[in-house]
DNA sequence: GGAGACTATGTCAACATAGACATAGTCGGG
DNA sequence: CCCGACTATGTCTATGTTGACATAGTCTCC
C-alpha cells in the first residue's frame, strides 16, 4: 500500500463528511481546517492526484468555468478505511512553531516599548479570532452539534478547544504588555542620567 | 542587507544571552526553544554559515574532538541590531499544524473506542510535559527570573504561557475521552442487534 | 461597457525541513 | 578491552511548502 503524507490525510479528513471539489478543499484548508492545518493550492491539486492514484479517493468530472474540468472528489471504501486506521494512531508530528513565543524568549534584546506594542497587537489578533470562534460555536450549537452522534460534532469539538485555549493566551499577552511597561520604567530608573552610560550592574551574565 | 530566514532569527534568539557552539545550539533547538521552534542539525550548521557570511554572527575556533574545529558563535553588533528590529515586528508566520485537532475534525469517521484511547494518551503526554514545565518554572523562580530585569525573564515568560495553556488542553482531552465513551454507548444503543444493519437514521447528511 | 472579484484547475521554481550518513575523539560501565 | 553514549561538525538526498504564474468563464458594481 502506498504511504500517505500528513497532507493527504488532511484532505481525507476534509472529505470525511461528503464530496468536495478541489476548489472547495482549498477553501476548507483556509477557513475551518486552516486554523490547525494549512495547505496551499499548489500542494492540494497534486496531492489529490496522488490520493486518486492510490485509490483512496475518486471523482466525477463536469465542464468547469475555466479551460479544465471541474472535479468532485469523494472517499472510496479504501480511503475511508485508511482514514479510520490513521485517526486512532498517536500523532506523529509534535513539532510546533510559534514566532511570538520565540520572540518572547529573546525579549531581553528588544526595546520594551516596542515589545509592549507587539503584545497588545497580539492580544487584539487573538481577540478577533476568539470572536470568530464564538460565532461559529454558536452556529453549531443552534444545530445541536454538541451531540456526539451529530456529524459535525468533530468540528464542534475543535471549537471547544479553541474557546478554552484562546482566553488564557489573550490574558498572557496583556500580562506581557504590562510587564513591558514595568520594564521600560525600571530601565529608565536604573539609568539615572539620559546620557549614554550603560547600567551594567542590573544584567549579571548567567548560564 | 541579506534577508534572514525565520530559522536564522531563531538562532540569533538562542544566542542573545551569550555565545554558544553549534552543538549547544542543536541542544537548545531541542530542549527549551524546541517547545516552540524546532530545527534539525542539518539545518542549523548551514544557517550558521549563512549568518556568519551576512556578518550577523562571528566565531572563535579551537581544536574539537572530531576531525573539525569547534566553533563558539556570538552575535555581532549588526546581529544584535537585526534581532532587536525583528523582535518588535508582528509575527509573519501564523500557520500552525496540530495533528490531534485535525483528527478531531474527522472524528465521525473513526472508531469511538480507539479515539477514547487516543485522547487518554494525549492527556498523558501533555501531563508529562506540564510536569516538565513546572519543574523548569520552579527552577527559574528560585533564581528570581520573574523580575522583568532578569536576563532569563524571557524564558520564564514562555513557561508562564505554557503553564496557562496546557491544563485547559489536558481537560479538553479528558472531556473528549468521556464523549467517546458516551458515543460508543449511543452507537451500540442505536444499533439494537449485533448484526450488520447500519442505523442510517442517526446520521443525516449535512452541509 | 470595463474593472475587479470569484469560480475552478493546474504548473513552476525556489526554499525549508527531515532523516540518514560520515568522521573522530573522550568517557564510563560491564 | 570493548561497547555504547556523548561531544562536535558537517554533508546528502528526498520530501514538504510557499508564492507566483497561467488560463478562462461568470457575476457584480460603478
Amino acid at each position: 500500500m502506498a504511504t500517505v503524507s500528513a497532507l493527504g490525510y488532511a484532505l481525507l479528513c476534509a472529505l470525511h463528511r461528503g464530496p468536495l471539489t478541489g476548489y472547495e478543499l482549498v477553501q476548507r484548508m483556509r477557513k475551518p481546517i486552516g486554523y490547525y492545518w494549512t495547505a496551499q493550492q499548489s500542494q492540494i491539486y497534486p496531492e489529490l492526484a496522488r490520493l486518486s492514484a492510490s485509490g483512496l479517493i475518486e471523482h466525477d468530472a463536469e465542464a468547469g468555468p475555466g479551460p479544465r474540468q471541474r472535479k468532485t472528489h469523494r472517499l472510496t471504501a479504501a480511503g475511508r478505511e485508511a482514514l479510520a486506521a490513521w485517526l486512532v494512531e498517536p500523532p506523529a508530528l509534535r513539532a510546533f512553531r510559534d514566532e511570538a513565543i520565540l520572540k518572547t524568549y529573546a525579549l531581553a534584546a528588544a526595546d520594551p516599548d516596542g515589545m509592549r506594542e507587539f503584545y497588545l497587537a497580539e492580544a487584539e489578533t487573538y481577540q478577533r479570532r476568539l470572536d470568530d470562534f464564538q460565532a461559529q460555536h454558536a452556529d453549531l450549537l443552534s444545530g445541536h452539534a454538541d451531540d456526539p452522534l451529530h456529524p459535525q460534532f468533530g468540528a464542534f469539538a475543535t471549537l471547544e478547544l479553541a474557546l478554552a485555549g484562546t482566553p488564557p493566551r489573550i490574558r498572557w499577552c496583556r500580562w506581557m504588555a504590562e510587564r513591558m511597561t514595568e520594564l521600560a520604567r525600571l530601565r529608565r530608573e536604573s539609568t539615572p542620567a539620559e546620557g549614554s552610560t550603560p547600567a551594567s550592574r542590573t544584567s549579571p551574565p548567567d548560564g
Side-chain angles (χ1 to χ4, degrees), chain A residues 119-130 170 173-174:
Chain A
Y119 288 114
L120 289 177
E122 281 286 293
E124 255 182 76
T125 300
Y126 280 102
Q127 183 61 54
R128 270 195 299 276
R129 196 178 278 201
L130 180 59
I170 295 172
C173 288
R174 300 218 168 109

Side-chain angles (χ1 to χ4, degrees), chain A residues 99-101 103-104 113-123:
Chain A
E99 226 179 279
I101 313 185
K103 287 179 174 186
T104 298
D113 291 316
M115 287 311 280
R116 202 181 113 263
E117 294 309 309
F118 173 86
Y119 288 114
L120 289 177
E122 281 286 293

Side-chain angles (χ1 to χ4, degrees), chain A residues 17-205:
Chain A
R17 276 199 312 123
L20 294 172
T21 67
Y23 187 74
E24 286 169 320
L25 280 164
V26 171
Q27 311 306 310
R28 294 289 188 292
M29 298 314 273
R30 256 198 263 281
K31 188 60 188 282
I33 298 181
Y35 287 125
Y36 39 88
W37 202 278
T38 50
Q40 301 297 314
Q41 195 175 316
S42 52
Q43 287 174 269
I44 293 170
Y45 286 107
E47 187 62 39
L48 284 171
R50 271 191 292 272
L51 291 173
S52 210
S54 307
L56 303 180
I57 61 174
E58 56 189 5
H59 62 262
D60 294 328
E62 20 164 357
R68 298 192 185 86
Q69 286 186 304
R70 179 188 134 110
K71 293 170 190 166
T72 303
H73 306 269
R74 89 188 81 82
L75 295 182
T76 62
R80 202 160 275 281
E81 235 174 89
L83 176 58
W86 176 76
L87 285 171
V88 296
E89 260 166 53
L93 194 94
R94 198 60 73 169
F96 150 69
R97 289 183 163 87
D98 190 316
E99 226 179 279
I101 313 185
L102 176 60
K103 287 179 174 186
T104 298
Y105 177 78
L107 182 152
D111 165 53
D113 291 316
M115 287 311 280
R116 202 181 113 263
E117 294 309 309
F118 173 86
Y119 288 114
L120 289 177
E122 281 286 293
E124 255 182 76
T125 300
Y126 280 102
Q127 183 61 54
R128 270 195 299 276
R129 196 178 278 201
L130 180 59
D131 293 343
D132 185 13
F133 289 151
Q134 272 164 344
Q136 289 175 245
H137 189 259
D139 254 24
L140 285 176
L141 259 187
S142 72
H144 306 288
D146 55 332
D147 177 356
L149 281 174
H150 193 286
Q152 296 226 64
F153 177 73
F156 172 79
T158 67
L159 286 169
E160 281 286 310
L161 178 60
L163 255 38
T166 310
R169 174 105 194 196
I170 295 172
R171 279 195 294 276
W172 178 80
C173 288
R174 300 218 168 109
W175 176 78
M176 285 302 293
E178 284 169 36
R179 294 288 76 67
M180 291 303 98
T181 306
E182 189 189 342
L183 180 56
R185 185 175 53 75
L186 288 169
R187 287 233 183 119
R188 270 196 306 275
E189 282 171 15
S190 70
T191 322
E194 58 232 62
S196 54
T197 30
S200 59
R201 184 184 45 84
T202 48
S203 323

